[in-house]
Structure formats: structure tokens, C-alpha cells
Amino acid sequence: MALGIRQIRDALISHLMVLGVFDTVSARAPDALPGTGVHGLVAFNRMVPARSSGLDATSMVPIFTVFVLVPLEQEPADDIDIVLLEATDPILASLIGDFTLGGLVRMVDVRGSEQSGGGTGAGLTVQTGHMTFPDQRYRFAEITVPLIVNDIYPEAP
């Protein structure tokens, strides 16, 4: 069975695009972002074997990062975190609601069932921070999206 990483990435991008909260959605860090609005970015982070793999094949946990970016110069400045969370909330609802990304994965590892030993850790998580990208300062939410894909690599007997 193939991992289907392109289809998985495209499904994540699609989840962001249909929400209607982003001015731009990208699969890579663009050279520049517009100075206003809310921007989404989907990036591959890493991949680890799933602890729940069987004896015949190894399942994998590809981990993506979804960034939600809001320019700090946006007005009113006191609402930047509200704008950020209003864009983050529907992403979480969408990923939890479409638990298998339309059948592409066993599941979004919402609760971190593949924890320990290089696993996904805390599951579907959100961390916020600030960044400069490239010459503009942004408030961001970093959403870690661990996915479990069954039986990718056969194991030799």
C-alpha cells in the first residue's frame, strides 16, 4: 500500500480552503504574504512508525503542521488573538469531524494514541507565538496534525 502523502496534504489544504476564513492558503512558505487578512499554510513536519502496527506491516504517522497567520499590524490590535482563534477553531472542528480525511487515513490522532518512543506526543495540538515572515510580523497558531495511516510498509518474515 502506498502512503499517499500528496493526497493527504491536498485533503488538509482542502479542509482549510472550504472554511471560508482564509485570504490565502498555501502548501509552502510563500515569498511574501499580503499585509492584511488571515493566511493558512500546510507543511509536512515529520513521520514516525505507529506503535499500533501489526506484525505483517508497519503503519506510519505522518505529522503535518498547519499554520494560521494574522499580521500584527491588523486593527483593532486587541482583537488579533480573537481573529486567530476564530480561524483556528473551525480547522479543529473540520479535522475532528472528518476523522479519516475522507478515508485517506485510519484517523487524525486527536488524543495522541501513538504517544511515547518518538510517537506523536499530545495528539492534535495548538501552540501560538509570534514570527517575522519575511518582513512582516505575525501572530500565529501552529496546529500539529498527527495522522495514522495503516499498513504502509510490509515487514519481512
Side-chain angles (χ1 to χ4, degrees):
M1 180 177 179
L3 182 58
I5 202 73
R6 181 182 302 275
Q7 292 83 3
I8 292 169
R9 185 215 47 198
D10 290 350
L12 290 171
I13 291 170
S14 177
H15 273 269
L16 269 61
M17 293 177 79
V18 301
L19 295 175
V21 297
F22 294 98
D23 294 284
T24 63
V25 176
S26 177
R28 67 172 185 85
D31 296 331
L33 290 173
T36 60
V38 179
H39 311 284
L41 172 63
V42 176
F44 178 75
N45 186 325
R46 63 190 174 110
M47 187 162 54
V48 297
R51 291 184 54 220
S52 61
S53 296
L55 296 176
D56 293 343
T58 297
S59 298
M60 296 302 290
V61 183
I63 303 166
F64 283 84
T65 303
V66 174
F67 290 95
V68 178
L69 301 156
V70 177
L72 284 176
E73 290 73 20
Q74 192 161 302
E75 293 294 332
D78 287 349
D79 287 349
I80 289 174
D81 278 354
I82 299 301
V83 171
L84 184 69
L85 293 172
E86 286 176 343
T88 302
D89 181 56
I91 295 169
L92 298 176
S94 175
L95 291 173
I96 293 169
D98 185 10
F99 195 58
T100 66
L101 294 183
L104 292 173
V105 301
R106 180 196 324 162
M107 65 183 206
V108 175
D109 194 4
V110 175
R111 291 173 184 83
S113 67
E114 295 295 333
Q115 292 185 56
S116 83
T120 64
L124 185 66
T125 58
V126 178
Q127 176 71 41
T128 60
H130 296 84
M131 72 168 70
T132 301
F133 177 85
D135 293 323
Q136 174 113 14
R137 292 183 45 217
Y138 287 87
R139 180 82 165 128
F140 72 89
E142 177 182 340
I143 306 169
T144 302
V145 184
L147 307 164
I148 303 172
V149 184
N150 285 341
D151 302 332
I152 297 302
Y153 303 115
E155 296 180 12

